[in-house]
Amino acid sequence: MGPNLNPRGLIVGNYCHDVLIKDDAVLAETLGGAVSFISAVLDGLNIPADYVSKVGSDFSYNTDLNHPPIVSESSKTTVFHAYFVSDPSEIRREDRVLKRVQSCDPISPTDLPDEANFSFGMAVGIGGELSPETLEKMLDVCDVVLVDIQALIRDFDENDGTVKLVNLKESGFFHLLPRIGFLKASAEEAPYVDVDEARKSCYVVVTSGKDGCTVYWNGGELQISPFSTLQVDPTGAGDSFLGGLVAGLVQGLAVQDAALLGNFFGSLTVGQIGPPELDSRLMQRVKDEVRLRKMQSDEHDEKSRFTKPSGHEQFIASLSAAKLVTTRIVSPNVGDEVLDPNPGYTSNQMFRFMALHLLEVSNFYQFFLDGLFPSFSWLVLARMIGYFKLSISMASDRHRNPFSTTTSFTHFLHPLHVQSNSVILQVRVFWDLQSDIHRDLIFTKP
């Protein structure tokens, strides 16, 4: 998928209502469905798309949506219950049992626009709402279609609605595989796809949570780096990943860079509950970084799109910097409910959170410290230690939840100018009266 000056997408899949349950206690109820997560990413990056979704008359999120759904008077909104096992330290994807407790009407081919003028399409069903005929219509009206495999292989227990997976070859969609551009699957779903077979027909992206993702195609594969994060709820991470991947592709990024952008948005999503609230400053930084990255990589041709592009590590560092400067710490309290009822949650997670972001800070500097100016590593380490002490002091002084404020993690840096034989790094950090931290990174090669 190359750059398009006027890209427009067609996103197809139902909204739903998600209920998070742990130890028989309802922890949160939120808007769900892949389209809600994808639209947060695409809207934030100003990528236009038409959304085709269905809900019942009981749907209660209409005022929260930029893209209203089709309301079906004959059925109710799809509802999923996500059950998490008790784990005082962390909620993990593999501990989740997902059940569909009610489902809305399917999306039929006649619900889709007839005009064949979409530069990309995304088939992102969640509850069995897409039929082979609907996907085939999408393939007819879109230049390229990206498919989340869950839309094709999910099945549901007749008694309690527990989600189970079927082999792609038995799903009724397998014959359409050669027409699909990209196929996204989680590590748990990949065995039901036969990646080695599917990569002969289309590009396959397998997401692996904290381990990043892998892109497969006929003749090779690429491992894409993850972004460290504190996981609060894994729901929707794969959807946000897919939104980031598509956003990168339609803006002309190489596949590795686009997949990295997907990892970036996935890492933001798991730190929140429900569709991510993406800071406008963060999105502007991402747009600027994508535009710069596109300018740097304009020389690649089709054969080199799946090789490691020059400057990829710098793109990782730039996105990490954007995330550090504008990351919002999300409270584990949802309404009057606590995400983890363990009374030790706040203190334990606070220290884990600070440790993770210290690691992220160190990862950000690794690109510069490894071979560029190692003599300055002691300075960074000293300031990281100073920041760690300051973070503990700030957290202990708060009477409210320390996770409930918007904070950034680089205010311990003073203006720093470093020059080596290969690069000049200028870092300027200051705190303004609106509690925003600004960082200017200037790279100048002599």
Side-chain angles (χ1 to χ4, degrees):
M1 184 190 301
N4 189 323
L5 296 179
N6 297 292
R8 185 164 193 86
L10 175 63
I11 320 299
V12 181
N14 283 348
Y15 291 107
C16 71
H17 178 67
D18 284 339
V19 182
L20 278 61
I21 301 170
K22 187 174 182 184
D23 297 333
D24 298 322
V26 175
L27 306 180
E29 300 188 33
T30 72
L31 172 66
V35 291
S36 63
F37 293 87
I38 291 170
S39 63
V41 175
L42 297 188
D43 288 352
L45 296 176
N46 302 122
I47 296 177
D50 291 357
Y51 292 78
V52 180
S53 304
K54 283 187 176 180
V55 298
S57 57
D58 58 340
F59 187 67
S60 59
Y61 300 99
N62 279 307
T63 58
D64 301 329
L65 300 178
N66 293 329
H67 309 284
I70 301 169
V71 178
S72 174
E73 300 294 341
S74 62
S75 67
K76 294 185 177 181
T77 301
T78 299
V79 175
F80 279 95
H81 287 182
Y83 295 85
F84 296 93
V85 300
S86 182
D87 181 347
S89 63
E90 184 176 18
I91 294 176
R92 298 179 182 273
R93 177 181 296 275
E94 59 266 28
D95 294 329
R96 183 180 64 169
V97 175
L98 197 60
K99 296 184 179 182
R100 186 189 70 178
V101 298
Q102 71 184 30
S103 60
C104 193
D105 288 341
I107 299 173
S108 69
T110 57
D111 294 318
L112 306 185
D114 291 321
E115 316 84 62
N117 62 346
F118 296 99
S119 53
F120 69 94
M122 301 177 71
V124 289
I126 52 169
E129 67 267 31
L130 299 186
S131 66
E133 292 76 21
T134 301
L135 179 56
E136 190 166 14
K137 175 73 173 290
M138 291 186 66
L139 293 166
D140 291 338
V141 301
C142 300
D143 294 340
V144 62
V145 174
L146 300 93
V147 177
D148 192 329
I149 195 63
Q150 69 180 12
L152 312 187
I153 65 172
R154 275 189 176 181
D155 199 5
F156 306 91
D157 185 271
E158 294 181 357
N159 296 318
D160 64 1
T162 298
V163 174
K164 52 186 179 179
L165 304 176
V166 300
N167 193 285
L168 178 60
K169 292 182 178 179
E170 302 168 359
S171 66
F173 292 91
F174 184 72
H175 68 286
L176 298 174
L177 190 60
R179 297 184 62 189
I180 292 172
F182 279 75
L183 190 67
K184 195 271 305 182
S186 69
E188 294 81 8
E189 295 163 338
Y192 297 87
V193 176
D194 189 351
V195 172
D196 286 337
E197 181 67 25
R199 69 198 294 183
K200 298 176 183 177
S201 302
C202 66
Y203 301 118
V204 181
V205 184
V206 177
T207 58
S208 302
K210 63 182 179 61
D211 296 319
C213 69
T214 306
V215 181
Y216 299 89
W217 70 99
N218 190 16
E221 62 189 68
L222 286 172
Q223 178 68 37
I224 312 300
S225 301
F227 290 86
S228 60
T229 192
L230 174 67
Q231 179 169 289
V232 175
D233 174 24
T235 306
D239 306 320
S240 294
F241 166 87
L242 196 55
L245 172 70
V246 169
L249 292 174
V250 300
Q251 294 178 90
L253 293 185
V255 172
Q256 186 174 18
D257 289 337
L260 182 70
L261 193 61
N263 284 348
F264 175 78
F265 282 107
S267 74
L268 294 176
T269 297
V270 300
Q272 305 183 34
I273 291 180
E277 296 181 12
L278 299 174
D279 188 282
S280 60
R281 299 163 300 167
L282 170 65
M283 299 306 283
Q284 184 57 54
R285 284 177 175 270
V286 171
K287 286 187 280 189
D288 292 343
E289 294 298 342
V290 169
R291 190 178 303 112
L292 177 61
R293 185 71 189 122
K294 174 62 172 61
M295 292 172 59
Q296 294 172 341
S297 57
D298 268 340
E299 297 302 318
H300 68 68
D301 55 25
E302 194 61 31
K303 291 183 179 180
S304 65
R305 287 181 66 80
F306 288 92
T307 61
K308 184 177 181 180
S310 174
H312 181 75
E313 288 81 4
Q314 183 174 324
F315 191 41
I316 295 174
S318 298
L319 291 177
S320 296
K323 183 180 177 184
L324 285 171
V325 171
T326 55
T327 295
R328 174 176 298 175
I329 309 176
V330 178
S331 171
N333 297 331
V334 181
D336 294 326
E337 301 292 341
V338 179
L339 180 62
D340 194 323
N342 177 11
Y345 178 92
T346 300
S347 59
N348 291 340
Q349 292 287 32
M350 179 182 70
F351 284 101
R352 286 186 62 254
F353 179 83
M354 289 188 290
L356 274 172
H357 282 280
L358 286 173
L359 175 62
E360 194 162 58
V361 169
S362 66
N363 286 340
F364 170 74
Y365 281 104
Q366 183 176 1
F367 172 69
F368 307 110
L369 296 179
D370 289 348
L372 290 181
F373 37 89
S375 61
F376 286 89
S377 59
W378 65 268
L379 177 61
V380 175
L381 177 61
R383 288 180 176 170
M384 286 174 64
I385 294 172
Y387 164 66
F388 186 65
K389 292 179 179 178
L390 178 60
S391 297
I392 295 175
S393 175
M394 290 172 62
S396 63
D397 286 344
R398 294 193 188 111
H399 296 289
R400 301 181 65 184
N401 190 322
F403 288 97
S404 63
T405 83
T406 299
T407 304
S408 117
F409 312 100
T410 50
H411 58 281
F412 61 99
L413 286 171
H414 303 293
L416 173 65
H417 298 264
V418 178
Q419 182 168 353
S420 74
N421 293 332
S422 57
V423 68
I424 297 173
L425 168 67
Q426 180 187 61
V427 180
R428 177 167 56 89
V429 182
F430 62 90
W431 184 277
D432 77 7
L433 296 178
Q434 301 301 317
S435 298
D436 295 329
I437 287 184
H438 302 266
R439 173 196 296 229
D440 291 336
L441 291 175
I442 303 173
F443 302 95
T444 306
K445 289 190 175 181

